[in-house]
Amino acid sequence: MAAGALKIPILMYHRIGPRISTSIVRDQYVPAALFEKQLQALQKQGYQSISLSEMKSLFIDKASTGKYIVITFDDGYKSFTDSAIPILKKHGMKATVFLVGNCIGHTNRWDEAKGDVSEPLLNREEILFAHKQGMEIGAHTMSHPDLRFCPDEMAQEEITRSKFDIESDLKIPIQWFSYPFGKNGERERRLVKEAGFLGACGTDKHTNTPETDLYDLGRVNVRATSSPAYLLHKLRKVAE
């Protein structure tokens, strides 16, 4: 990595709200009060939130100054507009939300199939509201499968249709992708690139630099147990 090159971490959230004890993924629920404290801690450390597209531009321009962070939300839960956006806007911050194409306006069917609690997902109007508020909209496949175990044709359809269908319906650009469960390999990265996405997020814990593969961006998972101090500790560790 060139001296002075930017290191930009990406945070991964799912749901904002009180933890539901019966959920099989209850650590995904970050209470609104904790979410706000996390943002406040980031700002005190000098972080400026940017979109994935802005991050790519900084890398292309070979920027070497500034302290940036990207905030992302997987799955497109309704709590993104109800709880996250008001707090983000209050602190002058932005985020990217990744949508499951076939589940827009419905519920988290992939989790329900495993016995998890049902949660409402963003509908068309809420997504357009988020976009107007300066949030970036991305894709998270059509039905949330683990792409590594999908046949070639199915994997291609899940990826390609998630871009085409959401763009066609919302009439807004869908340029970034997130791998369900964060899992991907060479085939999945190739298919995402061929579909026309600018890049994609996984769940490998690393910071991102101009040398990072844009189709294998690293992220830091934020949980219900991530105190502001612990979150900052995790950011320091991935930057090492």
Side-chain angles (χ1 to χ4, degrees):
M1 181 175 66
L6 284 180
K7 294 182 179 181
I8 301 180
I10 301 174
L11 301 182
M12 179 179 66
Y13 288 89
H14 287 83
R15 322 176 198 204
I16 301 298
R19 296 174 81 181
I20 297 179
S21 61
T22 55
S23 172
I24 61 177
V25 287
R26 53 187 175 273
D27 282 348
Q28 286 186 1
Y29 293 84
V30 176
L34 176 57
F35 180 56
E36 182 159 22
K37 289 178 182 178
Q38 291 167 346
L39 297 190
Q40 289 171 334
L42 293 171
Q43 288 186 314
K44 286 181 180 178
Q45 291 296 312
Y47 282 104
Q48 175 186 345
S49 78
I50 59 174
S51 67
L52 288 166
S53 295
E54 289 170 331
M55 182 187 73
K56 180 180 179 182
S57 294
L58 287 170
F59 288 161
I60 290 174
D61 294 341
K62 302 188 185 304
S64 60
T65 59
K67 193 171 185 179
Y68 303 101
I69 196 159
V70 178
I71 301 171
T72 65
F73 285 78
D74 279 6
D75 303 335
Y77 290 98
K78 193 173 186 295
S79 66
F80 181 69
T81 54
D82 289 355
S83 301
I85 287 181
I87 298 172
L88 287 162
K89 295 287 287 183
K90 178 180 176 181
H91 293 280
M93 303 180 85
K94 62 182 66 173
T96 300
V97 60
F98 296 104
L99 310 174
V100 180
N102 279 340
C103 298
I104 291 173
H106 298 288
T107 56
N108 52 327
R109 294 166 176 165
W110 62 93
D111 283 330
E112 293 169 346
K114 301 176 184 177
D116 198 10
V117 298
S118 179
E119 289 276 9
L121 301 177
L122 298 170
N123 60 33
R124 188 176 186 277
E125 291 70 28
E126 290 163 336
I127 297 164
L128 291 173
F129 168 79
H131 179 65
K132 289 178 181 178
Q133 295 298 306
M135 307 299 151
E136 190 170 51
I137 312 299
H140 199 39
T141 70
M142 292 301 292
S143 64
H144 205 286
D146 188 329
L147 292 167
R148 297 172 304 165
F149 305 117
C150 294
D152 290 348
E153 185 176 347
M154 178 181 176
Q156 183 178 37
E157 181 175 1
E158 284 278 348
I159 293 167
T160 303
R161 277 192 56 205
S162 69
K163 177 175 172 61
F164 177 80
D165 285 13
I166 299 172
E167 281 185 336
S168 297
D169 180 36
L170 301 179
K171 304 297 189 284
I172 60 176
I174 305 296
Q175 298 178 311
W176 296 90
F177 186 83
S178 173
Y179 301 101
F181 310 104
K183 307 302 184 182
N184 68 90
E186 182 178 347
R187 182 195 66 164
E188 289 73 46
R189 294 191 291 273
R190 173 178 56 80
L191 290 173
V192 171
K193 187 174 184 179
E194 289 175 353
F197 289 100
L198 298 180
C201 294
T203 53
D204 286 345
K205 297 177 179 63
H206 62 79
T207 192
N208 302 284
T209 75
E211 296 180 356
T212 301
D213 182 352
L214 287 176
Y215 296 89
D216 191 22
L217 294 169
R219 289 191 291 180
V220 174
N221 191 14
V222 186
R223 300 180 180 272
T225 54
S226 299
S227 69
Y230 184 58
L231 175 58
L232 295 177
H233 167 74
K234 291 173 76 173
L235 291 176
R236 287 191 293 270
K237 291 293 290 183
V238 298
E240 290 177 354

